[in-house]
């Protein structure tokens, strides 16, 4: 567990786009070493103009939050509205669009801390529902991780990608007390 006195969560801003890309690049490289290329492929996000633009959009939104140890961003959370490829919620919600952590700090509950922050944001906004989607392929480890964080599987989905294999996804929901 990360010491709560050294880990902080702060709002992100336009200057944080490189930190998002660094976190995504490191996570992708780690996934490749694990043989888990189905989630984000094999190429760094920073080499993909679409992902660079996405990081810029997130950094310029009011939904970016960074987990920081000292001055170093070690995790990123983006909240907003659900993506077009998932079934719409039937009630107001807070949607997690991105959760990524620095693998150099694995095992320190940084992802859990960011999800707890998302729950706090939802409560502040009077919302009882937090949803997220994730890669459901491979051995399903990511889905199981979200379940350990208090989420429940709701809707499976598939993203069709021209010229590439379909991307299996899973929507998960967490009801807030």
């Amino acid at each position: 567990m990360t010491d709560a006195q050294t880990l902080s969560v702060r709002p992100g801003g336009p200057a944080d786009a490189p930190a998002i890309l660094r976190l995504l690049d490191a996570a992708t490289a780690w996934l490749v070493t694990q043989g888990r290329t189905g989630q984000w492929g094999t190429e760094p996000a920073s080499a993909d103009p679409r992902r660079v633009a996405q990081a810029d959009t997130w950094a310029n939104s009011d939904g970016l939050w960074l987990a920081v140890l000292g001055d170093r961003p070690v995790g990123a959370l983006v909240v907003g509205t659900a993506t077009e490829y998932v079934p719409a919620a039937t009630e107001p919600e807070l949607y997690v669009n991105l959760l990524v952590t620095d693998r150099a700090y694995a095992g320190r509950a940084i992802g859990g801390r960011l999800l707890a922050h998302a729950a706090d944001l939802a409560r502040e906004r009077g919302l009882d529902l937090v949803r997220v989607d994730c890669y459901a392929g491979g051995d399903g480890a990511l889905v199981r991780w979200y379940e350990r964080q208090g989420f429940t599987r709701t809707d499976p989905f598939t993203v069709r990608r021209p010229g590439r294999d379909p991307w299996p996804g899973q929507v998960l929901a967490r009801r807030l007390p």
Side-chain angles (χ1 to χ4, degrees):
M1 184 66 105
T2 301
D3 180 0
Q5 294 180 340
T6 59
L7 179 72
S8 61
V9 177
R10 68 162 174 85
D16 293 313
I20 297 169
L21 291 169
R22 178 185 57 78
L23 289 164
L24 288 170
D25 285 354
T28 300
W30 179 81
L31 287 166
V32 168
T33 67
Q34 301 299 304
R36 298 173 180 255
T37 59
Q39 182 174 343
W40 286 337
T42 59
E43 298 303 313
S46 59
D48 180 345
R50 184 186 66 80
R51 296 291 275 173
V52 170
Q54 188 176 48
D56 285 337
T57 298
W58 285 333
N60 283 288
S61 75
D62 62 357
L64 173 62
W65 297 87
L66 296 174
V68 180
L69 284 173
D71 291 336
R72 182 175 178 78
V74 294
L77 167 74
V78 177
V79 297
T81 58
T83 51
E84 72 281 351
Y85 52 79
V86 302
T90 58
E91 64 187 270
E93 69 176 344
L94 183 76
Y95 201 86
V96 174
N97 300 106
L98 174 71
L99 179 67
V100 62
T101 61
D102 189 328
R103 297 303 307 166
Y105 298 91
R108 296 186 180 192
I110 294 167
R113 177 74 184 352
L114 287 168
L115 287 175
H117 185 73
D120 290 343
L121 291 170
R123 286 185 195 98
E124 288 170 12
R125 298 172 188 183
L127 302 171
D128 300 325
L129 178 64
V130 177
R131 288 195 316 154
V132 63
D133 69 82
C134 71
Y135 180 66
D139 62 2
L142 187 54
V143 172
R144 289 191 307 277
W145 182 85
Y146 278 106
E147 289 174 325
R148 287 192 303 275
Q149 306 309 308
F151 286 79
T152 302
R153 296 176 202 215
T154 58
D155 303 293
F157 64 93
T158 302
V159 176
R160 306 276 176 220
R161 306 178 302 174
R164 297 169 60 191
D165 289 338
W167 192 88
Q170 177 67 57
V171 178
L172 298 104
R174 180 176 170 210
R175 289 259 164 227
L176 302 177

